[in-house]
Amino acid sequence: MRRSEFLQSLLGLALASGLSQQSALAANNLKMLVPANPGGGWDTTGRALGKALQDSGAAAAVSYDNKGGAAGAIGLAQFVNASKGDPHALMVMGAVMLGGIITGKPPVSLSQATPLARLTTEYNVFVLPANSPFNSMKELVAQLQKDPGSIKWGGGSRGSTEHIAAAMIARAVGVDPSRINYVAFRGGGEATAAVLGGNVTVGGSGYSEFAEYIKTGKMRPLAVTSGSRIKGIDVPTLKEQGIPVEIGNWRGVYGAPGLSPAQRQALIDLIVSATKHRSWQESLEKNGWTPALMTGDAFGNFVDEEFASLRATMVKSGMV
């Protein structure tokens, strides 16, 4: 008997013996597609969720596949084309993917996959390399206004929240957003290395990705993109510094195309169970993530609304 047939037999026996489909799914391995290179926010989120799924007993094992590039569009294409109907497949995604779809117009659509749950919201932080000649956002903005191309912004893929935030900052201070010098990296690890190496003027990312370098003085924080100061983080907001910009970076998880309602609900139940476990709560605290659980159709509607809102913002900022 082939392995796939054997697993299907186990699933059928579990259901026949009165176990829920959730329990049956937990008896098998889950596969997590991370549409980014290792070391970034999606990778950290996917592996934290995978650990919580295992620690809570919601899944026996979780395997990971990193497929970075094009703000997640390359990974999305692989997921859509290779995982149809697979009730054990998951994909991490978030606001960055929506921006990438808007700017890149990939051949596949997020609507082909199955929305399961929004997990967290995180705000970006803009930082300077430790040896930067600038000392404040005011000084950086003054140079941006004088010579937009001289400020090299480093961050995630084109269309990422830090890219959008940089364009919004430029627009807010009277600079044509199309003139900003933005350098896109395929993952958080590459962006971090660029800042540490002084290869960009200013770097942007989720706070958790830069936190350890800020604490050790290897990066100097300028501002966070939240509406008010983040608890436990002594960094001023852009709004405090006279720049009316606020943007959040939420992350979630999708299932494969073509899932039945029962399969979809079973996966949602597994995820909700995992988010209640101490393992997930520890990850929230460690990474400075704000819990933002939303599931099923409510999450799907939220994504649609976010897509429209982001597109409008990017049009105003001259990005599309």
Side-chain angles (χ1 to χ4, degrees):
M1 181 180 292
R2 291 183 301 180
R3 183 174 182 273
S4 61
E5 294 173 338
F6 175 67
L7 290 175
Q8 288 176 351
S9 297
L10 281 180
L11 181 58
L13 286 171
L15 291 171
S17 64
L19 293 174
S20 68
Q21 188 167 353
Q22 177 183 343
S23 300
L25 277 171
N28 295 308
N29 295 347
L30 295 179
K31 297 172 288 186
M32 185 87 66
L33 190 287
V34 180
N37 291 346
W42 282 347
D43 187 59
T44 304
T45 301
R47 292 176 190 274
L49 177 61
K51 183 177 185 300
L53 284 163
Q54 291 178 269
D55 290 348
S56 65
V62 181
S63 60
Y64 306 92
D65 181 15
N66 288 82
K67 197 72 174 179
I74 293 175
L76 172 63
Q78 175 177 307
F79 187 73
V80 166
N81 293 325
S83 302
K84 293 176 182 177
D86 186 348
H88 302 92
L90 300 172
M91 179 188 70
V92 182
M93 53 75 67
V96 172
M97 182 174 282
L98 303 191
I101 290 171
I102 292 166
T103 58
K105 300 176 182 178
V108 295
S109 168
L110 185 59
S111 63
Q112 292 173 259
T114 305
L116 298 176
R118 185 184 67 185
L119 299 170
T120 63
T121 294
E122 182 179 26
Y123 291 98
N124 291 111
V125 62
F126 284 106
V127 299
L128 298 170
N131 62 351
S132 173
F134 300 107
N135 295 301
S136 66
M137 179 60 75
K138 183 178 179 180
E139 290 182 10
L140 187 79
V141 166
Q143 181 60 30
L144 178 68
Q145 292 170 325
K146 180 180 178 181
D147 182 4
S150 68
I151 302 297
K152 187 183 291 186
W153 302 80
S157 302
R158 179 173 169 78
S160 63
T161 50
E162 54 267 32
H163 184 193
I164 297 170
M168 292 171 72
I169 290 170
R171 185 168 178 265
V173 301
V175 174
D176 181 353
S178 67
R179 295 185 64 197
I180 66 170
N181 182 6
Y182 186 82
V183 182
F185 295 98
R186 292 182 298 175
E190 291 182 9
T192 297
V195 177
L196 293 174
N199 298 317
V200 295
T201 310
V202 56
S205 188
Y207 187 86
S208 63
E209 294 180 44
F210 287 165
E212 65 177 285
Y213 304 103
I214 292 172
K215 290 175 183 176
T216 57
K218 294 179 180 178
M219 295 179 183
R220 290 191 278 128
L222 287 175
V224 289
T225 63
S226 53
S228 57
R229 288 209 181 194
I230 302 171
K231 183 179 179 181
I233 298 175
D234 187 23
V235 181
T237 67
L238 287 165
K239 288 185 173 181
E240 279 182 69
Q241 301 176 75
I243 303 172
V245 170
E246 177 183 348
I247 185 170
N249 183 16
W250 55 268
R251 299 188 181 106
V253 60
Y254 265 54
L259 296 183
S260 69
Q263 290 171 329
R264 181 194 194 193
Q265 189 59 52
L267 285 173
I268 290 172
D269 290 345
L270 293 183
I271 293 165
V272 171
S273 176
T275 61
K276 294 178 180 179
H277 193 268
R278 182 180 63 184
S279 174
W280 180 251
Q281 299 303 315
E282 290 173 349
S283 292
L284 293 176
E285 183 175 353
K286 175 184 176 182
N287 294 292
W289 296 334
T290 300
L293 186 65
M294 178 185 289
T295 63
D297 289 341
F299 175 47
N301 292 334
F302 166 81
V303 172
D304 291 341
E305 291 169 2
E306 277 286 288
F307 188 90
S309 176
L310 270 178
R311 194 178 193 289
T313 297
M314 293 168 77
V315 168
K316 288 180 181 177
S317 298
M319 295 176 65
V320 292

